[in-house]
Amino acid sequence: MTQNIQFGKTCSSTTSSPEVIGTENNNIQVEGEWDGELEKQQRAVQQDGGYGWFVVAGSFICVFQFSYLFCKGVMINMLEDNVFGISKDITMQLTFVGTIAAVLTQACAPFSRLLEATFGSKSALIIATALYCVGMVSAGFARQIWQLYLSLGICCGMAASIFWSVSYRVTAQWFTKRRGLAMGIISSGTGASGLIMPFVMSAINSSLNTFWIFHILAIAFIVLDTNTCILVRENPVEKQRQKSSKMPIINWRVLKNHNFLIWVAACIPQALVTQLPFQIVPAYAIYFGQTEFRASTLISIMAAINIIGRILQGYVADIIGNLNTLILSSIMCALGSFFIWTFAFSYEVLLAYVIISGIFSGAFYVVAAPTVACIVGMEDLPSGNTLLWVMTSPALFGPSIASVIEANTAGRPFLTYQLLVGLAFTISILITLILKLRLDRTIFSKT
């Protein structure tokens, strides 16, 4: 397979498939006889979106619903206060519930890819819905922490992996010029969940009890997932091309693409620390004398700003390029961590860091899939995404690793976290610059 990667007005890739021929103005010509419905969908693709915006809406729901699993602080506090009691040992054990779910969300990407290839994306979403609801309902009956590992960690984590893989892969099929914006809207579901779900969970906990949270959310997610299963559908042109190409479920030749491996290397530091400020900032605020309410307010502010930030990152990526967006966002995150968070000894200064982190963090999740599509081509996008998520999944243990380093380091509390965040973003910037120069020797080009 010959890949032609062009970085200019748009980042595109073409293949030699006889069924679909790409042209310079992004119009798609199809050889052979196609039915009227397929031609109708094809015209939507030519409009760079069309029905794809409904796919974006369904994919946003996917990301929104499973992102609540990462609201570790809220979930841990409720389970400690009402079920398991408060102790350092209990806190550490409960922390791993969200960690297991987060790691499996990416590590189970091959499992998701197998389901998609065998049964189709819509059937995979139905399976994910069933897994998710079973996990939530089971969590509502859990009375021991290991039961939460099985229900929320493994069952919901595997379901989240399917939602994640299908939503990002299918959405990318519908867009070219506005692919970054589409991915930004989907990714903003994480911030929306972080902003809304803690209040919903607190309201249910106050009115009923902790275990009813999982039962009620299971019912709500069935309704949301029904809409997702209806809205999210394959681009018919891409679906037909993939069938005709007879590609393997996972094309391991992607690992021979040096640019792809460099991209994975650039993403690992991003995955290592992207979520760390969300988890550490409240504790840091309490450390220098802020109330729990003010500390919690910082997370709500960061989540709210992150919704806007990820959409803006996607919009900017369509204008200046995916790698340029990641580099600029990472520079701001590194500078914010080194020179603002490190010296934040007042609420106002810490609020400034929260705003900067909220706007610029998470760019990796916005540009990851579009960049993979540019490097390996749309034909290998499913394989590329799958391998990227699997290879970066160990980095999601970053907060736990940072906690161990912090616990065994003498010196000012929280300094380890602050320096680690800045250093990780700096390393990612350097690796991304290497990839950028390999793809286009012009430093100010749109890549």
Side-chain angles (χ1 to χ4, degrees):
M1 181 182 67
T2 302
Q3 297 171 355
N4 179 22
I5 304 174
Q6 299 174 346
F7 293 86
K9 218 170 182 182
T10 60
C11 182
S12 61
S13 62
T14 61
T15 67
S16 57
S17 170
E19 287 76 21
V20 181
I21 303 173
T23 61
E24 291 183 357
N25 60 0
N26 290 325
N27 290 330
I28 299 176
Q29 299 175 349
V30 183
E31 293 182 352
E33 295 183 358
W34 295 64
D35 57 24
E37 177 64 23
L38 193 56
E39 292 178 357
K40 181 179 178 181
Q41 294 289 353
Q42 181 185 342
R43 287 193 294 272
V45 177
Q46 294 173 351
Q47 296 169 4
D48 194 36
Y51 182 81
W53 293 114
F54 291 95
V55 177
V56 168
S59 298
F60 176 88
I61 294 173
C62 286
V63 176
F64 173 86
Q65 67 160 353
F66 73 71
S67 293
Y68 105 93
L69 288 169
F70 310 139
C71 299
K72 296 181 182 179
V74 177
M75 183 174 66
I76 289 172
N77 289 339
M78 291 181 181
L79 290 171
E80 283 181 333
D81 293 340
N82 302 294
V83 183
F84 299 110
I86 300 175
S87 71
K88 289 185 178 180
D89 184 56
I90 292 296
T91 300
M92 183 184 68
Q93 292 180 51
L94 289 174
T95 299
F96 276 100
V97 175
T99 301
I100 292 171
V103 172
L104 288 184
T105 296
Q106 295 188 192
C108 287
F111 169 70
S112 173
R113 179 65 192 134
L114 177 63
L115 286 179
E116 293 175 60
T118 305
F119 303 108
S121 58
K122 197 168 292 291
S123 297
L125 288 174
I126 294 173
I127 294 172
T129 300
L131 273 174
Y132 206 81
C133 291
V134 168
M136 294 290 289
V137 172
S138 300
F141 293 105
R143 296 298 182 270
Q144 297 184 41
I145 296 178
W146 68 266
Q147 295 169 341
L148 293 177
Y149 290 161
L150 296 178
S151 56
L152 293 181
I154 296 178
C155 197
C156 289
M158 292 177 66
S161 180
I162 300 172
F163 285 130
W164 179 284
S165 299
V166 173
S167 60
Y168 275 78
R169 181 184 64 82
V170 173
T171 301
Q173 296 177 350
W174 291 90
F175 295 89
T176 51
K177 294 181 181 179
R178 298 178 183 174
R179 186 177 291 160
L181 176 60
M183 294 299 174
I185 294 173
I186 295 174
S187 184
S188 69
T190 302
S193 183
L195 176 64
I196 296 172
M197 292 307 296
F199 295 103
V200 173
M201 294 165 69
S202 297
I204 299 173
N205 186 58
S206 299
S207 302
L208 299 170
N209 61 50
T210 302
F211 293 110
W212 270 103
I213 294 174
F214 303 110
H215 295 315
I216 292 176
L217 289 182
I219 296 172
F221 289 154
I222 288 176
V223 177
L224 291 175
D225 290 337
T226 299
N227 292 310
T228 295
C229 293
I230 293 173
L231 293 173
V232 176
R233 65 175 65 168
E234 298 267 2
N235 181 312
V237 177
E238 281 295 325
K239 186 176 182 179
Q240 179 64 25
R241 183 171 63 81
Q242 289 177 11
K243 285 183 178 180
S244 302
S245 63
K246 297 181 180 179
M247 294 293 293
I249 295 176
I250 297 179
N251 186 2
W252 298 101
R253 289 182 300 172
V254 169
L255 295 176
K256 296 181 179 180
N257 187 321
H258 293 168
N259 290 334
F260 175 77
L261 295 178
I262 295 173
W263 175 235
V264 171
C267 291
I268 288 175
Q270 295 276 341
L272 189 72
V273 298
T274 293
Q275 295 299 321
L276 199 149
F278 285 88
Q279 299 180 29
I280 301 302
V281 163
Y284 179 73
I286 293 174
Y287 160 72
F288 70 79
Q290 301 301 314
T291 64
E292 290 189 9
F293 175 78
R294 299 192 81 183
S296 299
T297 301
L298 289 172
I299 292 302
S300 297
I301 293 172
M302 188 182 294
I305 294 175
N306 197 238
I307 299 172
I308 301 172
R310 295 202 182 194
I311 296 174
L312 287 176
Q313 289 163 7
Y315 178 77
V316 171
D318 290 332
I319 298 175
I320 69 173
N322 298 312
L323 298 185
N324 291 334
T325 300
L326 183 64
I327 290 171
L328 292 176
S329 296
S330 299
I331 288 173
M332 295 302 297
C333 288
L335 292 176
S337 183
F338 281 137
F339 299 108
I340 299 180
W341 189 14
T342 304
F343 301 101
F345 300 112
S346 68
Y347 189 81
E348 292 74 20
V349 177
L350 187 57
L351 179 61
Y353 172 72
V354 163
I355 293 173
I356 291 175
S357 183
I359 293 174
F360 295 102
S361 68
F364 150 60
Y365 292 105
V366 175
V367 305
T371 303
V372 171
C374 291
I375 292 175
V376 305
M378 285 300 298
E379 185 174 341
D380 283 325
L381 175 62
S383 298
N385 271 347
T386 298
L387 294 172
L388 173 66
W389 299 134
V390 171
M391 295 170 74
T392 56
S393 60
L396 295 178
F397 286 105
S400 299
I401 296 172
S403 297
V404 172
I405 297 174
E406 170 72 13
N408 292 277
T409 301
R412 198 181 83 191
F414 295 94
L415 183 61
T416 299
Y417 299 114
Q418 297 158 343
L419 296 180
L420 179 62
V421 171
L423 181 61
F425 279 116
T426 301
I427 293 173
S428 179
I429 292 168
L430 297 176
I431 299 175
T432 306
L433 281 172
I434 293 174
L435 176 60
K436 175 181 171 62
L437 293 176
R438 283 177 58 91
L439 295 174
D440 194 320
R441 294 293 182 182
T442 307
I443 189 67
F444 296 108
S445 62
K446 176 183 175 181
T447 50

